[in-house]
Amino acid sequence: EASLPEVWSKVVGEVVSRHTTDVSFRRGIMTVCISASALRYELFMQRSALRDKVNAASRMPIVRELIIK
């Protein structure tokens, strides 16, 4: 079973992973910190789809909300 940071990297790919500074999870909320503002905005606009992909890749729907910071 992969950890959420590993699942995040798998879902978003190498380029986004390099700009990811932190991934945390608490009470169904996954928070991801992104170092590049333009990329942060792009991911913010796709957060629902990304949440669904993370849940599918982790094989359990544990992420209710995805926060991009």
Side-chain angles (χ1 to χ4, degrees), residues 8-47:
W8 173 255
S9 293
K10 180 180 173 185
V11 167
V12 297
E14 183 181 335
V15 174
V16 175
S17 291
R18 283 190 299 215
H19 292 284
T20 301
T21 59
D22 188 39
V23 177
S24 62
F25 181 78
R26 183 175 176 156
R27 297 182 181 164
I29 300 172
M30 182 176 176
T31 304
V32 180
C33 297
I34 305 294
S35 61
S37 60
L39 182 58
R40 185 180 319 120
Y41 179 75
E42 184 179 332
L43 296 173
F44 175 81
M45 298 304 290
Q46 300 174 24
R47 68 190 182 281

